[in-house]
Amino acid sequence: MHVTYLPMRWKCGDNYCYILTDDSSTKSWLIDPAYPNDIEDYLVKENKSEVTAIVNTHHHNDHSGGNRYLLSSLYKNIPIIAGKDSPNVSYTPSDEEVIQLGDNIEITAVHTPCHTQDSICYYAVDKKTGEKCVFTGDTLFTSGCGRFFEGDGKQMKSSLEKLMSLPDDTVVYPGHEYTAGNVNFSLSVLGKNNTSLNDLAKFCKQNEVTTGKFTISDEKKFNPFMRLSDPEVIQSTGLNDPIEVMDKLRAMKNSF
Ligand SMILES: [Zn+2]
């Protein structure tokens, strides 16, 4: 498999659009192409793959806002795979439904409600090479998670647990480049002795782009929202119950 990231609205939203391509068939999914102006040049001139579906991780305009335009211009007659609230959606996969992309990629829809009720993460496995990755939209960011706009801590906890149950070597592709800001908050919660978090902080200082560089295994080590029983997190929140810890962490991050 091959994943191309296309930055959109850089420095004022830091959104990512992704192209996930099956190497042998060159068929691809175009994931969250929200701002066609920012990516059309690439899609027209450089993209060599055959886009077979537009896919949204959730309905927010900064993820689904390009659906209508792209359907009427570059990609007539292809499906829009997304949750029920996305514009022009033609197909909503059920939780754990598997969809084939090209010859070798199998993609599992992982329903992760909380940021929005229609949030879906897409877990892709290349059956030939064994590569794995997951497109997490605004549910999971590197060392962070999305705001609870349509859900609560209980839902986010169970959604992140679904992602934590994916294989450790699954590469994470989040919907925004928020890592540098997340690291500052995570340091304030996890303390200075978390080696993985310190490594991530160093990486952020040297690299503007962090998407695709970290795995589910890394997240379990440096993401406080995945470490609700970590003594440092318990101390920082002053709470023990994992759901209460999740709600408190989110409230702390919102006002950080
Ligand atoms: Zn969102």
Side-chain angles (χ1 to χ4, degrees), residues 110-141:
V110 183
H111 285 209
T112 52
C114 180
H115 176 71
T116 63
Q117 284 303 305
D118 73 343
S119 290
I120 301 176
C121 296
Y122 299 93
Y123 168 61
V125 180
D126 188 314
K127 289 291 171 192
K128 199 170 169 190
T129 64
E131 293 164 288
K132 307 168 195 76
C133 68
V134 63
F135 299 88
T136 58
D138 289 0
T139 295
L140 172 66
F141 299 123

Side-chain angles (χ1 to χ4, degrees), residues 98-242:
V98 178
I99 302 174
Q100 182 86 18
L101 170 60
D103 297 329
N104 296 309
I105 299 183
E106 279 184 359
I107 300 161
T108 305
V110 183
H111 285 209
T112 52
C114 180
H115 176 71
T116 63
Q117 284 303 305
D118 73 343
S119 290
I120 301 176
C121 296
Y122 299 93
Y123 168 61
V125 180
D126 188 314
K127 289 291 171 192
K128 199 170 169 190
T129 64
E131 293 164 288
K132 307 168 195 76
C133 68
V134 63
F135 299 88
T136 58
D138 289 0
T139 295
L140 172 66
F141 299 123
T142 307
S143 197
C145 73
R147 288 178 185 252
F148 304 174
F149 286 127
E150 298 178 10
D152 55 21
K154 188 177 176 198
Q155 269 196 329
M156 184 54 87
K157 178 176 173 286
S158 101
S159 290
L160 291 185
E161 280 168 355
K162 282 183 170 180
L163 298 177
M164 288 163 79
S165 74
L166 297 176
D168 270 345
D169 58 347
T170 304
V171 176
V172 178
Y173 290 98
H176 295 262
E177 181 56 62
Y178 286 166
T179 312
N182 287 342
V183 162
N184 290 334
F185 175 71
S186 297
L187 281 167
S188 78
V189 172
L190 289 172
K192 306 278 182 241
N193 297 323
N194 183 311
T195 312
S196 305
L197 183 56
N198 287 330
D199 290 346
L200 177 62
K202 256 179 240 158
F203 187 88
C204 282
K205 286 204 175 96
Q206 290 156 3
N207 299 275
E208 190 178 44
V209 169
T210 66
T211 189
K213 301 295 182 195
F214 299 96
T215 62
I216 289 293
S217 167
D218 296 321
E219 292 298 332
K220 286 195 258 188
K221 291 175 191 155
F222 59 47
N223 192 325
F225 296 91
M226 287 184 164
R227 298 183 64 79
L228 305 177
S229 312
D230 185 316
E232 297 280 355
V233 175
I234 287 172
Q235 200 189 344
S236 299
T237 56
L239 296 167
N240 265 302
D241 177 75

Side-chain angles (χ1 to χ4, degrees), residues 58 60 62-63 115 138:
H58 63 297
H60 283 160
D62 62 333
H63 296 261
H115 176 71
D138 289 0

